[in-house]
Amino acid sequence: MTDRISVKGLRARGRHGVLAAERELGQEFVVDATLFLDTAPAAAGDDLTKTVHYGELAQDLVKVVEGEPVNLIETLAQRLADVCLAREQVLSAEVSVHKPAAPIPLPFDDVVVTITRSRG
């Protein structure tokens, strides 16, 4: 059995995309990350060191979004999943990257790429 810790709706400005304007102007990205882990050891001892500090996780995810630009949000999602899996307690992670201001010349609500990665 695995437990979950989720951070949803994390917002950060990034310069990701294939178009020059996306790289130049940047835009807001929204990240949802769900970590799968066993929280029982942390709960048993009320010990933060035996779980994932979601505040620190959120800061690390934002650094990735605000960091080096990539063409694809698939690549961004992979980098974010790597940040999640770098925590030793995490068995797997599901990461969604929302690009609500994607350059689509039609009415739309959101563009989302969701990936699931496991410690391998």
Side-chain angles (χ1 to χ4, degrees):
M1 182 171 109
T2 55
D3 305 317
R4 291 181 291 222
I5 295 175
S6 297
V7 176
K8 298 196 179 274
L10 185 63
R11 289 170 163 62
R13 190 161 186 84
R15 298 179 179 275
H16 311 287
V18 295
L19 301 178
E22 292 179 291
R23 294 289 182 109
E24 186 177 320
L25 302 173
Q27 61 189 284
E28 182 179 72
F29 292 83
V30 182
V31 174
D32 302 325
T34 299
L35 312 180
F36 297 87
L37 67 159
D38 182 2
T39 63
D46 198 26
D47 187 350
L48 178 61
T49 65
K50 294 186 177 176
T51 188
V52 173
H53 187 306
Y54 50 79
E56 291 176 359
L57 173 69
Q59 290 175 339
D60 291 346
L61 294 173
V62 164
K63 286 179 190 174
V64 171
V65 175
E66 293 176 343
E68 180 186 352
V70 296
N71 289 329
L72 303 177
I73 57 175
E74 291 86 345
T75 306
L76 181 58
Q78 181 63 57
R79 289 182 179 181
L80 294 166
D82 291 343
V83 166
C84 296
L85 291 171
R87 274 115 175 118
E88 67 179 88
Q89 299 91 344
V90 177
L91 303 172
S92 62
E94 180 180 273
V95 174
S96 295
V97 176
H98 302 256
K99 191 174 180 180
I104 298 173
L106 300 164
F108 73 99
D109 289 332
D110 200 2
V111 172
V112 185
V113 168
T114 301
I115 66 170
T116 302
R117 298 292 184 265
S118 296
R119 185 172 299 286

